[in-house]
Amino acid sequence: MSTKLVYYLEENWKRIWVVSLWIMVMIGLFTWKFFQYKQKSAFKVMGYCLLTAKGAAETLKFNMALILMPVCRNTITWLRSTKLGLFVPFDDNINFHKTIAAAISIGVILHVGNHLACDFPRLISSSNDKYKKFLKNDFGSPKPTYIDLVKGTEGVTGVLMVIFMAIAFTLATRWFRRNLIKLPKPFDRITGFNAFWYSHHLFVIVYVLLIIHGEFLYLVHIWYRRTTWMYLAVPVLLYAGERILRFFRSGFSTVRLLKVAIYPGGVLTLQMSKPPQFRYKSGQYMFVQCPAVSPFEWHPFSITSAPGDDYLSVHIRQLGDWTQALKRLFSEVCEPPVAGKSGLLRADEATKKSLPKLLIDGPYGAPAQDYSKYDVLLLVGLGIGATPFISILKDLLNNIVKKEEQADSVSDTSKASDVSVASSNESNTPNRVPSKRKKTLKTTNAYFYWVTREQGSFDWFKGVMNEVAELDQRGVIEMHNYLTSVYEEGDARSALITMVQALNHAKNGVDIVSGTRVRTHFARPKWKNVLSKLSSKHCNARIGVFYCGAPVLAKELSKLCYELNQKGSTKFEFHKEHF
């Protein structure tokens, strides 16, 4: 148990200290306000219900301000590149956003529940003598009724906020956001990403109501003690600044479509011009908007081109109503499929001048962008989850080529220096290699595992796989394709295709399943064997395990990394992204 505890602390210490600090701040605020109101005369009538409501209100102010910070994407992207990234888990920003939302829900229940169900009834049922002695200065004369309390500015704004927040929080849950709840028409419109996106903008109204609510407090009469606006000022201005920046930057980042391809399996590839000011790292993502589909919706996609490329590209799978509409739109402007291309549709500037307009915004940070700090990489993509790693593979390949060119250049310089030293007997100084060298690549090996159910998926980045296989002469990048719709290779039902595949690959160097130089395996990888081999092969190395795909496999990989870290000297660090 002690070993497990130590490992847990090692893996989660960033999350632990951030969440612990956050909880301590909430406890401090709650306690401070609780005891502050215990000194007020209203406590004599309204009791501990009032104290609990006011304590919860103070945490609500704090959390309503804090919840904006994790979604300030530009700020987060910048901060993760600073030394603060060593201590703060910026990759968990959305999880922290959700955690704060849960705390807000609890705070609302405590605040509103204690007011409506406890201290308001205590107030209206109090005797006239007690009311005049303790509450007359706060609530005026005559004593208000329950309806008077609810229909006042404080009551109306509070009730409206609860309604709007309940709508936004409900539609943001996984069941509604991912269409897991099937409702009859026309109620089906309140499920899906669109409902989540538009309902979240109700918070603009919530924040306006919150400021008004904070200016009409029952028991606070001095303006500087109405602190709601003080909590909200900086986060709201920061978030508003981010939205304004995104608005203007996306306007300047109008891109020209260079190529469009629609592959089997409902995958759309967009290749576009790269704006001069657009700088990014492999593994990062950007937002894409197509005004012809929706003038308001922005959707995030991993950048699949390498930073050294003179274009930007994204791979978009048909998973929701927006992506379906986008695919239909481009299907209308694409050329019909060429014979033998398995339904592949294409379009480019030479054939179509009326390609739809696209806007982009980004880039934004993601876990995969930190791949370069590891000695060895294990990249695992499930289906369309391979997209963040396309850029990483291309970037690694570019760096490998540059490293080889640099090594050749240094070798030639060294030889020339040897000749000059040998021809001169006057100098006794030793031969030195020039000191000005580019920073060497830390990553020595990369292993890419792509697991997919559809054979047509290999068309997505067939060119990248072939390019890696051809140019990676030193064997730095090892690629593995797994097709799960076929029985594993030892099974008699797949024996024939395995034999034909092996013969064709040995004779022509091309895999008959993927159409690339990379051999395709069948069924699912045995992940325990994969990680154990890496642990044995790269002793004492720091291996970055990056996964993008459905959450199920993430749990298995995380558990295996945990087990192997306890057994050997090889250190596995697991990072995940879900789509």
Side-chain angles (χ1 to χ4, degrees):
M1 286 182 66
S2 61
T3 305
K4 288 183 178 181
L5 178 61
V6 169
Y7 178 74
Y8 180 81
L9 293 174
E10 286 177 354
E11 290 295 303
N12 298 282
W13 67 270
K14 292 181 183 179
R15 299 182 182 93
I16 291 169
W17 86 259
V18 169
V19 172
S20 299
L21 177 63
W22 171 61
I23 291 172
M24 285 191 292
V25 170
M26 286 195 296
I27 292 172
L29 290 172
F30 186 94
T31 305
W32 167 58
K33 194 58 66 172
F34 187 92
F35 285 103
Q36 185 186 80
Y37 271 81
K38 195 173 183 181
Q39 310 304 319
K40 290 183 177 289
S41 58
F43 169 65
K44 301 291 193 300
V45 177
M46 304 170 93
Y48 285 97
C49 303
L50 174 66
L51 276 52
T52 305
K54 290 299 183 180
E58 204 66 20
T59 66
L60 279 172
K61 296 175 193 176
F62 171 66
N63 284 326
M64 287 296 289
L66 187 63
I67 198 170
L68 293 174
M69 303 303 290
V71 290
C72 290
R73 293 189 181 91
N74 290 289
T75 305
I76 294 292
T77 301
W78 171 67
L79 287 175
R80 67 184 296 138
S81 63
T82 65
K83 290 185 178 179
L84 199 60
L86 300 173
F87 308 100
V88 180
F90 290 114
D91 292 338
D92 289 332
N93 61 319
I94 299 302
N95 288 331
F96 191 42
H97 179 76
K98 294 175 181 177
T99 305
I100 298 169
I104 288 173
S105 300
I106 295 170
V108 167
I109 293 169
L110 288 175
H111 179 69
V112 178
N114 276 282
H115 272 325
L116 296 181
C118 189
D119 58 27
F120 284 2
R122 279 173 174 261
L123 186 154
I124 62 174
S125 62
S126 63
S127 65
N128 289 329
D129 292 338
K130 213 172 185 182
Y131 175 80
K132 289 177 181 178
K133 184 177 179 181
F134 298 113
L135 296 175
K136 183 179 178 181
N137 292 334
D138 295 307
F139 293 92
S141 183
K143 185 171 66 174
T145 63
Y146 192 91
I147 297 299
D148 291 333
L149 293 171
V150 174
K151 74 178 184 181
T153 305
E154 307 92 325
V156 171
T157 53
V159 171
L160 287 175
M161 279 192 289
V162 170
I163 293 170
F164 290 146
M165 291 169 75
I167 294 171
F169 281 13
T170 302
L171 297 184
T173 57
R174 182 172 176 269
W175 301 283
F176 282 88
R177 193 178 71 252
R178 291 187 173 271
N179 271 324
L180 300 180
I181 294 178
K182 300 301 179 183
L183 299 175
K185 292 184 178 182
F187 299 106
D188 58 340
R189 288 184 174 273
I190 65 172
T191 62
F193 183 85
N194 283 349
F196 152 74
W197 176 249
Y198 291 120
S199 66
H200 243 55
H201 286 78
L202 289 172
F203 277 99
V204 175
I205 303 172
V206 169
Y207 277 98
V208 173
L209 293 172
L210 182 58
I211 293 172
I212 296 171
H213 186 79
E215 290 300 311
F216 290 89
L217 298 180
Y218 293 116
L219 302 171
V220 180
H221 307 292
I222 304 174
W223 71 269
Y224 58 81
R225 290 185 179 174
R226 296 168 183 164
T227 57
T228 303
W229 66 273
M230 299 179 189
Y231 280 96
L232 299 178
V234 173
V236 167
L237 288 174
L238 179 63
Y239 183 75
E242 288 239 349
R243 294 300 295 260
I244 293 169
L245 173 65
R246 289 182 62 185
F247 175 77
F248 284 106
R249 185 172 62 185
S250 62
F252 288 117
S253 298
T254 304
V255 292
R256 291 180 297 106
L257 275 170
L258 305 177
K259 289 184 180 179
V260 178
I262 301 176
Y263 293 104
V267 174
L268 172 68
T269 301
L270 303 177
Q271 192 178 109
M272 61 202 81
S273 60
K274 182 162 72 172
Q277 74 279 9
F278 197 92
R279 301 284 185 270
Y280 67 97
K281 298 178 182 179
S282 291
Q284 292 186 329
Y285 68 96
M286 66 181 182
F287 282 82
V288 177
Q289 185 202 67
C290 182
V293 176
S294 172
F296 303 109
E297 292 183 47
W298 292 86
H299 292 264
F301 299 100
S302 298
I303 303 172
T304 53
S305 53
D309 294 336
D310 57 358
Y311 62 88
L312 289 172
S313 65
V314 292
H315 289 61
I316 302 172
R317 188 173 186 183
Q318 187 177 335
L319 290 174
D321 48 5
W322 187 86
T323 52
Q324 289 172 354
L326 190 70
K327 184 184 175 237
R328 283 196 302 269
L329 180 66
F330 282 105
S331 297
E332 295 171 1
V333 298
C334 283
E335 294 293 331
V338 180
K341 288 293 183 180
S342 184
L344 180 66
L345 307 175
R346 290 186 180 276
D348 55 40
E349 285 187 313
T351 57
K352 291 290 180 182
K353 299 296 183 182
S354 59
L355 291 173
K357 179 183 176 183
L358 282 184
L359 299 175
I360 63 170
D361 176 53
Y364 294 107
Q369 76 176 66
D370 297 325
Y371 75 92
S372 57
K373 68 181 183 182
Y374 295 100
D375 305 317
V376 179
L377 297 179
L378 174 60
L379 310 174
V380 180
L382 205 63
I384 197 66
T387 50
F389 308 131
I390 299 175
S391 178
I392 291 175
L393 290 173
K394 294 174 72 175
D395 194 38
L396 274 174
L397 185 61
N398 292 339
N399 285 330
I400 289 166
V401 172
K402 286 180 182 178
K403 188 176 179 180
E404 290 175 347
E405 291 175 352
Q406 178 188 345
D408 293 340
S409 175
V410 170
S411 177
D412 293 341
T413 306
S414 179
K415 287 178 183 178
S417 181
D418 287 341
V419 171
S420 64
V421 170
S423 62
S424 175
N425 295 323
E426 297 178 2
S427 175
N428 294 323
T429 57
N431 178 33
R432 293 180 181 178
V433 177
S435 59
K436 290 185 179 180
R437 293 186 185 180
K438 293 182 179 179
K439 186 179 178 181
T440 56
L441 185 66
K442 182 179 178 65
T443 305
T444 57
N445 291 90
Y447 301 85
F448 175 57
Y449 284 78
W450 189 20
V451 184
T452 182
R453 289 187 56 82
E454 301 164 344
Q455 183 180 346
S457 300
F458 295 118
D459 288 334
W460 297 349
F461 59 109
K462 186 184 294 186
V464 176
M465 290 190 284
N466 283 329
E467 191 178 1
V468 170
E470 289 173 10
L471 297 181
D472 184 20
Q473 300 298 326
R474 292 168 51 239
V476 171
I477 301 174
E478 190 176 299
M479 304 182 72
H480 300 269
N481 298 332
Y482 279 81
L483 188 64
T484 60
S485 57
V486 181
Y487 295 102
E488 61 182 334
E489 291 166 8
D491 196 291
R493 289 166 289 189
S494 62
L496 180 60
I497 190 172
T498 303
M499 182 177 65
V500 174
Q501 179 196 33
L503 288 171
N504 190 73
H505 196 274
K507 182 179 179 181
N508 303 316
V510 178
D511 184 73
I512 60 171
V513 178
S514 66
T516 70
R517 295 174 180 268
V518 181
R519 176 80 178 269
T520 300
H521 306 281
F522 302 136
R524 291 177 174 80
K526 296 177 180 177
W527 295 112
K528 188 172 184 178
N529 294 342
V530 171
L531 269 71
S532 297
K533 287 179 182 177
L534 288 182
S535 181
S536 302
K537 186 175 180 180
H538 301 282
C539 294
N540 302 313
R542 190 169 169 227
I543 301 179
V545 182
F546 293 90
Y547 170 74
C548 185
V552 179
L553 182 55
K555 294 179 181 179
E556 181 183 349
L557 290 173
S558 178
K559 185 178 178 182
L560 287 171
C561 289
Y562 164 75
E563 292 174 356
L564 290 170
N565 282 343
Q566 291 183 315
K567 293 178 181 177
S569 58
T570 306
K571 176 70 172 175
F572 290 90
E573 293 188 19
F574 181 69
H575 305 270
K576 65 181 178 181
E577 291 181 64
H578 297 321
F579 53 79

